[in-house]
Amino acid sequence: MDMTPKQIVAYLDDYIIGQKDAKKTIALALRNRYRRMRVEPKLQEEIMPKNILMIGNTGVGKTEIARRLAKMMGLPFVKVEASKYTEVGFVGRDVESMIRDLVYEGINLVTREFEEKIKDKIDDEVNKKIIEKLVPPLPDSASDTAKEAFIKTYNTMEKKLLEGILDDKKIEIELPKKAHVEIIDSSLPFDMSSMQESLNKMLGSLNKDKIKKEVTIKDAKILLRSVASEGLLDQEAIKIEALKRCENGGIIFLDEIDKIASGKKNNGQDPSKEGVQRDLLPIVEGSSVQTKFGQIKTDHILFIAAGAFHVSKPSDLIPELQGRFPLRVELESLDEEALYKILTNTKNSLLRQYKALLEVEGVELEFDDEAIRAFAKYSVTANEKTEDIGARRLHTVIEKVIEDISFEADEKKGTKVVVTKELVSDKLD
């Protein structure tokens, strides 16, 4: 997507309050990827992404900034926690699995886009199969009267099907009988993934039978859409496009990187922490990783690492890894004014979400401005007195205040409920 850094920051401002430095840094990193793809091919290979290290407490917007941008730009994105990985040789997830996770995301992203392009074709195929079950085709020898009656019935059924009137009606459908072995844990080495693929092909060739299922038309649409999609989509084209996007636009958000930093206090106590950093190094520097969908180069994947660094410091990471995150931004803690703006100045804010939820019950929920300021004040106080969890504290505070209103919503249908400063004080003092 061709967006200038200013446009990217303006987009982020709709969802995340403050954190100007972090937004600017990431906006530039993404714009540079766009610029890179437009220079001559030989120079493209030389221009490496400038990986980013974000330092700040939980709940200040680190993940949200990266997630929003990836979604907006249609880029493969995964969030992983560095503390979940183990050094090669230890039992657990190896660091290469984050690349396999990214490729899975890329495949899903491109599949959805391809499906959208042929959505009408898929829907036509599905509707045709369902109507054939409802109105069996006539033999060629049928009379003209029978054919006229058939066309009339067919058109009536098609209209009802499209309007959803027949959704609860049950029909019997045929589905491919798949003998599929799925290895869900992508932390397994690649040879296991290869074995899975070979096994699936072997079982698939042995068993091409179909199974019959009686389901509602609503469920039949979902099941048949999946079958039609598989038949109509070019899986090879999806794989090629997904790998290309992951290599040139993929973003990996590496959270809790401070948990694998070995400070002086930790020296000798947990040697695997440094081992994870050393395993991480070739992936961040640029290497080839084998996945079930093919080989992927990590040279141009953008890595955004983040951590609170309360106990350790960025300088406690091994020097080679520090050098691979040249851009550093420190995110500010959220004060009362920032929390107030999060509730009032962001799209799809928490207050808007709660209003929408209670609208379902026929209850009109309204928040006084003083009540909103009270939410922000109590959240800051709670963050200061206990652990600072940033904007996540708003969830706790608001939920506590409107808990009873939400519980009794079915009895308040057709009414308007105003949340006042007094109510907030009463619930939270």
Side-chain angles (χ1 to χ4, degrees), residues 20 47 65 78 80 159 185 190 198 204 241 252 273 351:
K20 285 194 171 108
I47 301 170
I65 290 172
V78 289
V80 296
K159 187 172 184 289
D185 187 359
F190 174 69
S198 305
E241 177 62 20
I252 292 181
K273 284 184 176 180
L351 300 186

Side-chain angles (χ1 to χ4, degrees), residues 131-257:
I131 294 171
E132 280 175 1
K133 289 288 176 185
L134 296 168
V135 189
L138 288 174
D140 293 336
S141 58
S143 66
D144 290 344
T145 309
K147 285 177 182 175
E148 278 180 30
F150 170 79
I151 291 167
K152 191 177 178 183
T153 308
Y154 189 98
N155 290 340
T156 304
M157 282 299 186
E158 186 178 39
K159 187 172 184 289
K160 286 183 177 180
L161 180 70
L162 295 174
E163 288 173 356
I165 295 168
L166 304 173
D167 277 0
D168 294 329
K169 184 179 171 65
K170 286 201 166 184
I171 58 166
E172 192 179 73
I173 58 170
E174 285 186 342
L175 296 167
K177 189 175 181 181
K178 289 186 180 178
H180 189 74
V181 179
E182 186 65 50
I183 295 174
I184 292 168
D185 187 359
S186 62
S187 67
L188 290 169
F190 174 69
D191 55 346
M192 290 292 284
S193 296
S194 297
M195 188 179 77
Q196 172 201 344
E197 206 166 351
S198 305
L199 198 56
N200 285 335
K201 282 178 185 173
M202 183 183 75
L203 290 169
S205 61
L206 287 173
N207 198 343
K208 291 183 178 176
D209 296 339
K210 291 192 173 183
I211 54 167
K212 290 184 177 180
K213 271 190 175 185
E214 190 182 31
V215 292
T216 62
I217 285 179
K218 188 178 181 179
D219 290 337
K221 285 176 184 175
I222 297 166
L223 293 166
L224 291 172
R225 191 172 279 124
S226 175
V227 175
S229 170
E230 209 169 293
L232 291 168
L233 289 175
D234 184 342
Q235 299 299 330
E236 191 61 27
I238 287 172
K239 185 179 81 173
I240 291 166
E241 177 62 20
L243 286 173
K244 184 181 163 187
R245 282 207 207 169
C246 288
E247 283 188 339
N248 294 298
I251 299 174
I252 292 181
F253 189 86
L254 192 59
D255 205 5
E256 295 188 349
I257 198 164

